[in-house]
């Protein structure tokens, strides 16, 4: 893959030169773990990362791995209390990393080992990581958000912060950064909303949803309709309207990011390719009449993946997202 081998070797050289607490072999295994994690859970983002700005591949893979690890806390926890314990571990790990600690526990966990390297090479605002963790705490609740604005804020606190962290690995003048920051936040909100829309069928099996209460008057009715939709393999008309409403909000955020395209640096555009999976899904969702239970949306075919890769290359050539 483009730049992957060079980024890997560069990362290992950086560690070997400056941080004796983490050996080259350990660093290699840590990065390999992060790569496999992203390939398994966010394959589309793994593909997008191949077009990362020069030198940013390993940092973006590491940030994606951090996102996956923290996003899976709810699924790996049998109770909210256990989920909170796992979140506290990440909060403590983050504090230790920013203090420059090199404990065996930190360097043994592959993602925190790579973050150890990342934080010594780049100035990444701690509050962005903290905001992501606060949003993951919200995940532990079984209650859907009250409003669309609350859902948008959640999307901004997860994917928005994630793209923002990626932006901090790039070098640019203040004015370029300001424009890029606005664009990545719009793109992050779009990506975050689409992630939640895509998760609807999987969450419905467990009686969960991110569809805001304001779109469905009764939560009990919402849960029943989702259950029935999952059983029938087709979304009800009322829920299709709710999904369409959320898709429209996501598309508005995407268009706001695209409106800034002409003022963005090439590196910023490369970073924003991360929103292409969301843009692709939104087009497919509209073609499927907003039925998130459509099998083509839940389980994309090999042909669909090939089409995405071709679109990714086409977008890279045209410098569009």
């Amino acid at each position: 893959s483009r730049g992957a081998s060079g980024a890997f070797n560069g990362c290992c050289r950086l560690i070997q030169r400056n941080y004796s607490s983490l050996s080259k072999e350990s660093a290699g295994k840590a990065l390999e773990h992060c790569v496999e994690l992203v390939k398994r859970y966010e394959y589309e983002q793994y593909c997008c990362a191949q077009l990362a700005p020069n030198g940013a591949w390993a940092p973006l893979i590491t940030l994606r791995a951090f996102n996956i690890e923290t996003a899976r806390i709810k699924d790996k926890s049998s109770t909210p209390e256990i989920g909170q314990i796992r979140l506290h571990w990440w909060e403590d790990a983050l504090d230790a990393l920013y203090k420059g600690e090199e404990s065996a526990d930190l360097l043994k966990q592959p993602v925190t080992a790579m973050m150890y390297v990342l934080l010594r090479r780049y100035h990444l605002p701690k509050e962005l990581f903290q905001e992501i963790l606060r949003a993951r705490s919200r995940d532990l609740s079984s209650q859907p958000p009250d409003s669309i604005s609350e859902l948008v804020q959640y999307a901004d606190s997860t994917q928005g912060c994630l793209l923002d962290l990626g932006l901090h690995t790039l070098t640019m003048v203040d004015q370029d950064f300001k424009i890029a920051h606005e664009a990545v936040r719009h793109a992050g909100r779009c990506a975050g909303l689409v992630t939640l829309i895509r998760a609807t069928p999987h969450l419905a099996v467990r009686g969960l949803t991110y569809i805001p209460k304001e779109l469905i008057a009764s939560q009990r009715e919402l849960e029943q309709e989702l259950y029935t939709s999952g059983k029938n393999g087709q979304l009800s008309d009322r829920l299709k309207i709710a999904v369409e409403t959320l898709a429209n909000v996501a598309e508005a955020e995407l268009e706001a990011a695209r409106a800034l395209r002409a003022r963005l640096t090439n590196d910023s555009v490369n970073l924003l390719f991360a929103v292409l999976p969301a843009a692709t899904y939104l087009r497919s969702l509209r073609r499927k009449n907003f039925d998130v239970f459509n099998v083509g949306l839940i389980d994309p075919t090999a042909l669909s993946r090939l089409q995405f890769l071709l679109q990714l290359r086409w977008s890279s050539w045209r410098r569009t997202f």
Side-chain angles (χ1 to χ4, degrees):
S1 57
R2 187 197 77 82
S5 177
F8 172 82
N9 292 330
C11 179
C12 291
R13 285 195 299 271
L14 176 71
I15 295 162
Q16 192 176 40
R17 186 167 65 247
N18 295 318
Y19 315 120
S20 58
S21 297
L22 191 62
S23 68
K24 182 177 179 180
E25 181 183 2
S26 296
K29 289 180 179 179
L31 183 56
E32 184 179 342
H33 173 88
C34 291
V35 170
E36 290 305 313
L37 200 61
V38 178
K39 285 175 72 173
R40 179 179 179 184
Y41 291 101
E42 292 188 357
Y43 181 75
E44 292 170 332
Q45 291 300 332
Y46 169 78
C47 295
C48 293
Q50 309 314 307
L51 301 176
N54 189 34
W57 179 81
L60 294 184
I61 287 291
T62 301
L63 292 171
R64 282 285 161 189
F66 167 80
N67 179 61
I68 292 166
E69 286 278 22
T70 54
R72 293 177 61 226
I73 286 176
K74 180 178 177 65
D75 292 338
K76 293 164 63 177
S77 304
S78 56
T79 66
E81 291 74 22
I82 292 176
Q84 285 294 349
I85 291 172
R86 288 186 165 131
L87 271 175
H88 286 320
W89 185 92
W90 277 101
E91 290 167 355
D92 291 342
L94 195 62
D95 287 340
L97 286 168
Y98 272 88
K99 289 176 182 176
E101 294 181 13
E102 302 177 1
S103 69
D105 285 343
L106 284 178
L107 302 185
K108 187 165 55 176
Q109 211 281 356
V111 177
T112 51
M114 285 307 302
M115 289 174 65
Y116 164 85
V117 178
L118 207 59
L119 293 175
R120 278 152 182 77
R121 188 168 186 178
Y122 302 99
H123 176 67
L124 303 181
K126 183 180 179 182
E127 57 268 21
L128 294 178
F129 284 109
Q130 291 173 321
E131 189 170 348
I132 292 174
L133 292 179
R134 284 193 294 270
R136 296 308 178 199
S137 180
R138 161 71 182 80
D139 282 345
L140 300 177
S141 170
S142 60
Q143 296 294 312
D146 291 326
S147 63
I148 295 174
S149 61
E150 184 179 333
L151 190 67
V152 172
Q153 179 56 56
Y154 174 87
D156 189 55
S157 296
T158 49
Q159 296 296 322
C161 283
L162 192 65
L163 277 180
D164 201 344
L165 284 164
L167 181 62
H168 279 80
T169 67
L170 308 183
T171 302
M172 61 184 71
V173 299
D174 289 347
Q175 185 57 34
D176 288 341
F177 182 87
K178 183 178 179 181
I179 297 167
H181 181 265
E182 183 179 352
V184 300
R185 281 297 189 166
H186 282 301
R189 287 191 284 270
C190 170
L193 288 169
V194 169
T195 298
L196 301 176
I197 293 171
R198 291 180 76 164
T200 299
H202 308 289
L203 292 172
V205 175
R206 293 179 285 163
L208 302 172
T209 183
Y210 279 95
I211 296 177
K213 295 176 184 176
E214 74 171 87
L215 296 179
I216 301 292
S218 166
Q219 183 180 347
R220 187 172 182 179
E221 290 178 18
L222 171 60
E223 292 172 353
Q224 183 59 44
E225 284 196 38
L226 281 170
Y227 174 79
T228 303
S229 296
K231 191 174 180 180
N232 297 336
Q234 184 176 2
L235 204 63
S236 68
D237 289 340
R238 185 163 65 155
L239 287 180
K240 284 181 182 177
I241 293 173
V243 170
E244 181 179 8
T245 300
L246 297 180
N248 288 340
V249 176
E251 286 175 340
E253 293 288 355
L254 177 62
E255 291 307 315
R258 285 173 170 169
L260 297 168
R261 165 64 192 91
R263 301 164 63 193
L264 295 171
T265 65
N266 284 334
D267 279 355
S268 298
V269 173
N270 282 5
L271 179 66
L272 283 162
F273 287 144
V275 80
L276 283 173
T280 301
Y281 180 84
L282 286 170
R283 284 195 298 272
S284 298
L285 183 64
R286 193 168 289 279
R287 285 198 297 268
K288 302 296 184 183
N289 194 27
F290 303 100
D291 184 5
V292 292
F293 283 91
N294 184 285
V295 67
L297 293 173
I298 296 175
D299 188 19
T301 63
L303 178 60
S304 298
R305 287 193 170 186
L306 176 60
Q307 289 172 335
F308 172 74
L309 290 174
L310 291 174
Q311 182 197 349
L312 184 59
R313 290 297 174 182
W314 175 248
S315 296
S316 174
W317 182 72
R318 294 180 63 214
R319 312 303 300 155
T320 59
F321 52 86

